[in-house]
Amino acid sequence: MNQSSSQLAFHPLRDQLYNELHSRPFQVLPCPAQVTHIALLTTDEQRAAQFRHLQELHERLGVPAPEQEVSCFEDNFGTLRVRREIHMEFTAYTFINLAAPDHHQPFRETGISPLPDGWLEGLQGTVVAAFHLDLQNTANGPATDLAKVRPYFEGLRLVGSNPQDGKARVWGSFRLHSDQFGRFMVLNHSLSDSQLGRLTQRLMEIETYRLMSLLALPLARQITPALNEMDQQMAVITQTLADNHDIDEQQILAELTNIAARIEAFRAHSTFRFSATRAYHQLVLTRLDELREDELSGHLTITEFMTRRLTPAVKTCESVSDRLEDLSRRVDRASDMMRTRVELAIQSQNQQLLTSMDRRSKIQLMMQHTVEGFSVVAISYYLVGLIKLALDALYDSGVSFDKSLVTGLSIPVVLLLVFLGVRAVHHRFIRMARHQ
């Protein structure tokens, strides 16, 4: 008996997680066909404007417009197929023209040819990737001879290979042509429509991710001179600390603070871009592996071209990112050394201050003992004076005794008693201080 699932607690994102793997299905492309792929960097506001612009395209072509934006949208307008994909920082449009005849002239008509006049120009965003792909059957397309293919690429140097274990041939220049678009030519030998769609999708992703990964290269070149300057500053500061000469701690701390602030500004400006470059580069390498290319005699394959040209650029960006991290750590270590020097200097000053205070305390103690001696004499003097007054009064009352003798004998007694009293008070205060 099947158990009912109505009582199970499903995760709120369960359906979304299941659908994620199917959110961007591969195209199924007949041959011949003409494809144009455009990727635009967009803000949230531009992305919303793009969706309204897509709705306008439906209205102009007499097709019901979509009401809700999705991550991957595709619709057919007769022989024109439009696909829109939303990525993290860019939006990709794929326009597929299925009206190409078997013996058409490559790149004379493209995927954007069927679009209404002026619609493409109204698309908001900053174009990063824009290129045409011309898909043809080998029997009906141009000859595979390089001399006959090159004119379609305006004579530029070509990169070519036989992907999918030789079931197709791909030509491309990885350059902009006179129409400001890149170009690829796919000559289909024996691929099915599904296989051709997957191959085309991989080519579009390779070219798009290649350009997206290179966005960090100008930033890396811009940062490098400042890094060289800060590296020299850090070398001078470190050598100064190593020489252990008299230095201006405040000036060095100010320089370290300034360098640290500049490094953090560079990191805040470049961390995302460098991280994105590594991610896009990894995607390019994955898509290249999926091509399963066979080499064309005398020509670089797409994988070889990317490895030779793209990988060094990505390594440059990674090197600048690593230098930023290394400089940041060096600044931290130098700052720690400076803080240690300052703390040691403060401890030395405190030690000198304590020594000086101890010396003054001893002097004060000696002065206190001296004052105690004077106070014993002063107190005894006044006490002897009081005793003399008392003896005079007693003698005047009729008691007969030698006043001078008694007064003289009282002096040492008074001195001794006063001295003992002062010492007792002194020891009492010492005991009180020890118990605190």
Side-chain angles (χ1 to χ4, degrees):
M1 181 176 180
N2 293 330
Q3 298 292 327
S4 173
S5 62
S6 60
Q7 302 300 321
L8 296 177
F10 292 110
H11 195 281
L13 300 178
R14 180 171 177 264
D15 292 341
Q16 181 178 341
L17 298 176
Y18 263 94
N19 294 332
E20 180 61 29
L21 295 180
H22 308 280
S23 60
R24 293 186 175 94
F26 284 108
Q27 298 272 2
V28 178
L29 292 177
C31 199
Q34 295 161 329
V35 181
T36 298
H37 187 78
I38 301 176
L40 306 98
L41 292 175
T42 54
T43 62
D44 293 338
E45 294 77 10
Q46 289 173 331
R47 188 173 292 124
Q50 285 180 357
F51 181 67
R52 293 191 295 270
H53 199 57
L54 182 64
Q55 292 175 319
E56 179 186 339
L57 176 64
H58 284 74
E59 294 171 359
R60 293 178 65 174
L61 296 178
V63 177
E67 297 181 357
Q68 186 175 1
E69 187 175 41
V70 292
S71 61
C72 182
F73 173 81
E74 184 175 324
D75 208 347
N76 292 304
F77 305 88
T79 57
L80 172 65
R81 185 187 303 171
V82 177
R83 178 170 174 148
R84 179 174 183 258
E85 299 179 16
I86 299 176
H87 297 264
M88 289 293 293
E89 58 176 333
F90 68 93
T91 303
Y93 286 84
T94 305
F95 305 96
I96 304 172
N97 183 6
L98 302 175
D102 288 338
H103 300 281
H104 70 277
Q105 184 79 9
F107 306 114
R108 178 170 295 178
E109 296 289 326
T110 64
I112 58 177
S113 297
L115 289 174
D117 292 339
W119 185 86
L120 187 64
E121 289 75 5
L123 198 59
Q124 293 194 23
T126 305
V127 177
V128 176
F131 51 91
H132 304 302
L133 300 97
D134 195 273
L135 315 181
Q136 300 195 29
N137 289 311
T138 305
N140 299 325
T144 57
D145 183 24
L146 178 61
K148 296 185 178 180
V149 172
R150 192 185 298 276
Y152 300 118
F153 292 87
E154 301 178 348
L156 296 175
R157 190 172 184 177
L158 297 181
V159 176
S161 67
N162 292 323
Q164 305 301 308
D165 301 322
K167 294 181 180 180
R169 179 166 294 183
V170 176
W171 294 103
S173 64
F174 294 96
R175 289 183 177 273
L176 294 176
H177 294 74
S178 58
D179 58 356
Q180 296 302 306
F181 280 76
R183 292 182 182 180
F184 290 93
M185 181 181 291
V186 180
L187 302 176
N188 182 21
H189 298 334
S190 58
L191 294 176
S192 66
D193 292 351
S194 297
Q195 291 173 325
L196 182 61
R198 290 196 291 272
L199 173 61
T200 303
Q201 184 70 25
R202 288 175 185 131
L203 290 173
M204 292 189 296
E205 290 176 349
I206 288 172
E207 180 68 351
T208 301
Y209 294 147
R210 173 184 77 91
L211 294 170
M212 292 297 297
S213 66
L214 289 175
L215 284 177
L217 185 59
L219 180 60
R221 290 171 175 168
Q222 177 186 351
I223 292 175
T224 298
L227 289 182
N228 295 335
E229 176 189 349
M230 290 188 290
D231 189 74
Q232 290 297 324
Q233 287 182 274
M234 286 303 304
V236 172
I237 291 174
T238 305
Q239 187 61 45
T240 302
L241 294 175
D243 293 340
N244 200 26
H245 292 175
D246 291 336
I247 59 176
D248 188 345
E249 286 87 356
Q250 290 186 349
Q251 179 183 354
I252 291 183
L253 284 174
E255 292 179 5
L256 290 174
T257 302
N258 179 55
I259 294 174
R262 294 176 65 188
I263 291 173
E264 290 304 316
F266 284 137
R267 291 175 65 183
H269 189 55
S270 63
T271 298
F272 171 77
R273 191 73 271 152
F274 289 151
S275 299
T277 289
R278 286 190 288 267
Y280 287 129
H281 181 237
Q282 187 59 47
L283 288 173
V284 170
L285 296 179
T286 302
R287 299 301 185 269
L288 288 173
D289 289 339
E290 294 171 352
L291 286 181
R292 303 198 309 273
E293 292 179 286
D294 289 337
E295 184 178 355
L296 277 174
S297 178
H299 293 279
L300 288 173
T301 64
I302 297 176
T303 300
E304 291 173 335
F305 179 82
M306 290 292 179
T307 303
R308 182 172 179 269
R309 303 290 180 88
L310 178 63
T311 301
V314 174
K315 293 298 182 183
T316 298
C317 299
E318 292 178 350
S319 174
V320 172
S321 178
D322 292 340
R323 286 188 67 187
L324 279 172
E325 295 298 326
D326 178 66
L327 266 176
S328 179
R329 289 191 293 268
R330 289 169 60 189
V331 169
D332 289 341
R333 290 195 296 268
S335 299
D336 289 340
M337 286 190 290
M338 284 302 305
R339 282 192 290 268
T340 302
R341 287 178 64 97
V342 171
E343 290 175 358
L344 289 175
I346 292 175
Q347 290 179 4
S348 176
Q349 293 176 357
N350 291 339
Q351 185 66 34
Q352 294 176 1
L353 180 61
L354 290 174
T355 302
S356 176
M357 292 177 62
D358 184 61
R359 188 182 304 112
R360 287 196 296 269
S361 298
K362 290 180 179 179
I363 294 174
Q364 289 177 355
L365 182 61
M366 294 174 63
M367 292 177 63
Q368 180 180 355
H369 289 321
T370 303
V371 171
E372 286 180 359
F374 289 140
S375 64
V376 168
V377 174
I379 295 172
S380 299
Y381 174 78
Y382 287 109
L383 286 177
V384 170
L386 293 174
I387 291 173
K388 185 176 182 301
L389 291 175
L391 291 175
D392 288 341
L394 184 62
Y395 184 82
D396 293 339
S397 64
V399 179
S400 178
F401 59 90
D402 190 345
K403 294 190 293 180
S404 299
L405 178 61
V406 175
T407 303
L409 292 175
S410 68
I411 292 175
V413 175
V414 171
L415 285 172
L416 178 62
L417 292 176
V418 170
F419 174 77
L420 292 176
V422 170
R423 294 294 297 173
V425 172
H426 178 74
H427 287 299
R428 180 181 178 186
F429 284 133
I430 291 178
R431 287 194 300 270
M432 291 176 62
R434 288 175 179 176
H435 288 91
Q436 284 182 353

